[in-house]
Amino acid sequence: NRDVAANITFSYTPHQKYYVDEFRKVRLTSTWPTFVVNFERGIKGLLGSTSNYEKWEVMVTQDLRLDALHRLIWKSGGGLFTSRFENRFVQYEYFNSGISAYNWDDDSSGVFQLLRRRYYNNSNHYLRGHLVLESPTILFGNVRTMMIRNERLYFNILGCEQLVPYVEIGYGISNAMFDLSVFSSYMKEENFQFGLKVSLSIFD
């Protein structure tokens, strides 16, 4: 199979401030969320393409500094195929953690850590939501050590044709050298699942 498609993405952040550094636009923070709309259409027959589909996705995301110690990252969105024929490798754009709004600044936020890809790939529509609370004072506020710089609580939920719903929660710690998180998920088809994620930052 060969996939040739036209893809258009629109992103807008109200009251977004920026400055120009040698003709390069540098974004600053905004107190408003970022709204993203993505449209993609496969073009069957172009350059041998066998794709014939049309899909829309929307995403709203915001990185909020609640106070000096607490940060809240939230993300919500949905997508649907308005036209879809046999095509086994077309994926939803925003399930790829490499395609994110600019203020979604790591690969832990807004990602289903334990979800198998086949569930959303086989669904013609989905709704998803993510919450991340980051603070140095969640569980170990009175035990500040070199081993813990920040803590995180994760909550992820997904509804689609294959899963109603899929729920995932997690807890993580980080310091200058690594991030370590544990996750648990539940779906009716597979009951509870558990996982561990470690990211090293020793060369950063």
Side-chain angles (χ1 to χ4, degrees):
N1 291 336
R2 179 177 295 179
D3 185 16
V4 178
N7 187 295
I8 300 174
T9 301
F10 173 78
S11 177
Y12 175 63
T13 306
H15 303 286
Q16 175 70 66
K17 297 181 180 180
Y18 66 90
Y19 67 92
V20 177
D21 181 15
E22 296 182 353
F23 307 104
R24 182 173 60 92
K25 183 184 290 187
V26 179
R27 290 189 177 102
L28 301 175
T29 59
S30 173
T31 57
W32 289 71
T34 296
F35 301 85
V36 186
V37 178
N38 177 266
F39 170 75
E40 183 172 303
R41 182 177 179 83
I43 307 175
K44 187 175 183 179
L46 180 62
L47 302 177
S49 172
T50 59
S51 300
N52 190 359
Y53 66 92
E54 182 179 279
K55 66 179 179 181
W56 292 82
E57 289 181 274
V58 296
M59 178 176 67
V60 184
T61 177
Q62 190 172 20
D63 190 338
L64 287 172
R65 179 63 65 176
L66 302 178
D67 53 41
L69 296 178
H70 295 82
R71 174 188 178 201
L72 180 68
I73 305 169
W74 66 268
K75 178 178 181 180
S76 64
L80 76 158
F81 282 90
T82 52
S83 175
R84 186 180 191 181
F85 296 90
E86 182 64 26
N87 193 314
R88 296 185 179 277
F89 59 91
V90 172
Q91 298 182 12
Y92 285 110
E93 192 80 359
Y94 297 123
F95 275 97
N96 181 345
S97 60
I99 307 297
S100 301
Y102 65 89
N103 63 338
W104 209 259
D105 63 353
D106 62 67
D107 60 0
S108 297
S109 305
V111 177
F112 294 102
Q113 302 288 339
L114 307 179
L115 180 64
R116 297 183 183 181
R117 183 173 298 175
R118 65 180 174 87
Y119 285 108
Y120 59 81
N121 273 353
N122 293 333
S123 297
N124 285 318
H125 55 79
Y126 75 86
L127 291 172
R128 66 190 293 188
H130 307 268
L131 283 175
V132 178
L133 177 64
E134 179 181 283
S135 172
T137 60
I138 295 178
L139 296 181
F140 296 99
N142 297 323
V143 192
R144 294 289 91 202
T145 70
M146 291 180 60
M147 296 297 295
I148 301 176
R149 181 181 63 186
N150 265 320
E151 301 173 72
R152 276 190 168 188
L153 293 177
Y154 299 90
F155 177 78
N156 305 313
I157 187 167
L158 169 69
C160 60
E161 291 177 70
Q162 303 293 321
L163 301 169
V164 184
Y166 171 82
V167 178
E168 195 173 86
I169 59 173
Y171 169 79
I173 60 173
S174 72
N175 60 23
M177 298 184 64
F178 68 87
D179 300 311
L180 186 150
S181 302
V182 291
F183 292 91
S184 175
S185 67
Y186 175 78
M187 66 176 78
K188 183 172 64 175
E189 293 79 1
E190 298 185 6
N191 293 318
F192 289 96
Q193 302 289 325
F194 299 92
L196 173 71
K197 178 176 180 178
V198 180
S199 301
L200 299 178
S201 307
I202 56 178
F203 298 111
D204 290 352

